[in-house]
Amino acid sequence: LPFAFRAKRIQISEANPLDIILELRRKAGFKGPIVLVAEVSKFSADGDIDVDGGGSGLGIFPEDLPGRTNFAHFAKHLCTEARRCKFEATVQDHLTSASNPYLIRLVRVTLLRGPPEEGYPFLEEPVQFTVLLTANSVARPQVKSIKFRRRPPMEWYGDSADNNSLIE
């Protein structure tokens, strides 16, 4: 990349990631690239990204990504292209593969609406950013507690295959 961003400190926030993106551009005047990591946790029966929720909540984090951006357009295009692939694999197959999971990069996703506290207004100046789309190989991996002699216990994956798919 021609632009190298060096973080001077790490900040942890409970704020909505889309609101943070908006604040970076609006108030901080940040001009560099912004990358949001989004996680798909639910797919349709056809293996598509569930951007409509199907009545039981959205299967993506951040949950307001489809409603405040043009992400749904990208998701539908991904699903259509996956079906055209000669291997006939779905987006779900690619993202949740235990041995070789995909990380999908969506460039120029556009934040079109403001925060819920402001009534989701259309932004005068939409903000573009990149989304890295990922998913776990299993929806609910098993967790086990590892005990140490001199440290407090730690939770970790119960199945090493779940850990390995994360590392891949």
Side-chain angles (χ1 to χ4, degrees):
L1 293 172
F3 176 81
F5 177 73
R6 296 174 197 244
K8 302 217 184 225
R9 62 180 180 227
I10 295 174
Q11 294 182 340
I12 298 172
S13 174
E14 293 182 8
N16 179 301
L18 296 177
D19 294 342
I20 293 171
I21 290 171
L22 193 55
E23 290 301 310
L24 279 170
R25 290 280 195 248
R26 263 190 188 169
K27 292 187 178 172
F30 183 71
K31 303 271 189 232
I34 297 175
V35 178
L36 170 73
V37 177
E39 179 182 0
V40 180
S41 60
K42 188 169 85 177
F43 295 88
S44 71
D46 296 334
D48 292 344
I49 298 170
D50 188 4
V51 293
D52 301 322
S56 60
L58 293 175
I60 190 159
F61 178 82
E63 286 189 347
D64 57 349
L65 184 64
R68 293 178 61 188
T69 70
N70 63 343
F71 172 80
H73 167 76
F74 285 89
K76 288 176 183 172
H77 182 72
L78 273 172
C79 297
T80 300
E81 289 303 309
R83 283 194 188 86
R84 287 186 194 176
C85 179
K86 64 182 176 182
F87 302 115
E88 297 182 16
T90 65
V91 173
Q92 180 179 13
D93 294 334
H94 289 303
L95 286 174
T96 63
S97 172
S99 62
N100 190 20
Y102 279 38
L103 179 69
I104 298 173
R105 183 176 135 212
L106 307 173
V107 181
R108 292 189 211 111
V109 173
T110 305
L111 180 58
L112 302 165
R113 291 182 167 263
E117 297 81 24
E118 297 175 16
Y120 296 111
F122 283 103
L123 300 174
E124 289 181 28
E125 292 182 39
V127 176
Q128 290 192 330
F129 58 99
T130 297
V131 171
L132 294 180
L133 196 59
T134 184
N136 287 328
S137 60
V138 292
R140 301 197 188 283
Q142 294 179 357
V143 177
K144 68 179 178 182
S145 182
I146 300 172
K147 296 181 182 179
F148 300 97
R149 290 184 185 147
R150 297 188 177 139
R151 294 188 305 187
M154 177 178 84
E155 289 187 341
W156 199 248
Y157 292 100
D159 185 352
S160 61
D162 294 335
N163 178 57
N164 292 344
S165 70
L166 177 70
I167 293 170
E168 296 271 334

